[in-house]
């Protein structure tokens, strides 16, 4: 398998498992899982080349470990990044490190200063544990701007933090008071 195939399969899985399971005629269960054999069968029916092997390749090699298998190996889900509503990943609430980071771009700053970080189309605001990761996240949209989040203070005042299986910090929102702008 070439990297191109893996990337394209990873993008397809992100689409199905985070945003639009209906493209393969399926619904995620309450915790975001899909049955692997059903996913493959339905994808194949719709002309999408997907095999058990390519699926396992992507799970193992994906650069951000975006997908996880259930313990019994029969189901797959995205570890974070969902916009599908009504699912609960059942992540444990976790005490965050003192500081977290968010990578964004200039054009969003005035809005972020006004309303804080909001989840927009996704189910959570995504925060990074280190500036290098936040820089990569911001770079997807242009010249990255890194905001620092006072996670300790947020946590102390009762905001809940969740850590996805692939190391992304998830919160409902970050009020401006807890943000430091560059
Ligand atoms: C911005 C990737 C205006 C926010 C990454 C961001 C991540 C606001 C955009 C994951 C705002 C939302 C998520 C406000 C936030 N006003 N703009 N009040 N609050 N924004 O893609 O964090 O490769 O939903 O700064 O690694 O960029 O897909 O979130 O620019 O983990 O696996 O609104 O996506 O992972 O964009 O990225 P997104 P994100 P994957």
């Amino acid at each position: 398998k070439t990297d191109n195939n893996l990337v394209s399969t990873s993008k397809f899985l992100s689409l199905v498992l985070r945003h639009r399971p209906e493209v393969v005629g399926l619904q995620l269960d309450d915790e975001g899982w899909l049955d692997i054999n059903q996913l493959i069968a339905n994808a194949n029916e719709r002309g999408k080349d997907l095999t058990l092997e390519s699926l396992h390749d992507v799970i193992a090699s994906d650069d951000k470990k975006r997908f996880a298998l259930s313990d019994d190996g029969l189901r797959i889900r995205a570890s974070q990044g969902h916009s599908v509503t009504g699912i609960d990943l059942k992540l444990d609430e976790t005490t965050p490190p003192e500081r977290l980071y968010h990578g964004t771009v200039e054009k969003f700053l005035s809005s972020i200063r006004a309303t804080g970080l909001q989840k927009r189309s996704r189910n959570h605001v995504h925060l990074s544990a280190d500036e290098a990761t936040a820089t990569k996240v911001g770079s997807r949209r242009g010249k990255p701007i890194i905001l620092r989040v006072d996670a300790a203070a947020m946590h102390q005042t009762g905001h809940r933090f969740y850590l996805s299986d692939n190391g992304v910090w998830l919160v409902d929102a970050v009020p401006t008071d807890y943000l430091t702008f560059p």
Side-chain angles (χ1 to χ4, degrees), residues 89-173:
L89 298 173
K90 295 273 165 68
L91 299 173
D92 293 328
E93 227 188 297
T94 306
T95 301
E98 204 155 314
R99 297 188 193 308
L100 288 168
Y101 301 89
H102 180 83
T104 188
V105 284
E106 177 78 36
K107 67 175 175 190
F108 294 145
L109 285 187
S110 60
S111 169
I112 293 172
R113 280 182 202 277
T115 63
L117 290 173
Q118 299 190 322
K119 38 194 178 179
R120 321 282 276 184
S121 63
R122 302 200 201 238
N123 297 353
H124 294 96
V125 169
H126 291 222
L127 302 176
S128 308
D130 56 76
E131 293 184 74
T133 307
T135 301
K136 282 188 206 153
V137 173
S139 302
R140 287 152 56 236
R141 303 179 189 283
K143 183 169 172 281
I145 307 270
I146 308 307
L147 309 182
R148 204 178 71 200
V149 177
D150 190 347
M154 263 182 85
H155 186 250
Q156 261 161 33
T157 50
H159 289 268
R160 290 196 273 265
F161 286 75
Y162 301 91
L163 180 59
S164 76
D165 285 348
N166 62 336
V168 179
W169 286 91
L170 306 172
V171 291
D172 256 348

Side-chain angles (χ1 to χ4, degrees), residues 21-87:
E22 68 272 15
V23 302
V24 291
L26 294 172
Q27 275 195 334
L28 308 182
D29 80 4
D30 296 350
E31 299 181 14
W33 298 103
L34 274 190
D35 180 273
I36 286 181
N37 290 323
Q38 205 162 35
L39 166 61
I40 293 171
N42 284 35
N44 293 164
E45 267 170 27
R46 287 160 179 78
K48 177 77 194 174
D49 176 31
L50 186 67
T51 62
L52 194 57
E53 194 198 357
S54 66
L55 217 138
H56 280 278
D57 277 355
V58 168
I59 294 169
S61 70
D62 185 76
D63 57 347
K64 293 186 185 173
K65 295 269 177 248
R66 291 177 178 87
F67 313 104
L69 281 178
S70 58
D71 290 339
D72 60 12
L74 297 177
R75 293 170 301 154
I76 183 172
R77 77 175 181 184
S79 291
Q80 38 71 228
H82 300 77
S83 62
V84 168
T85 54
I87 59 165

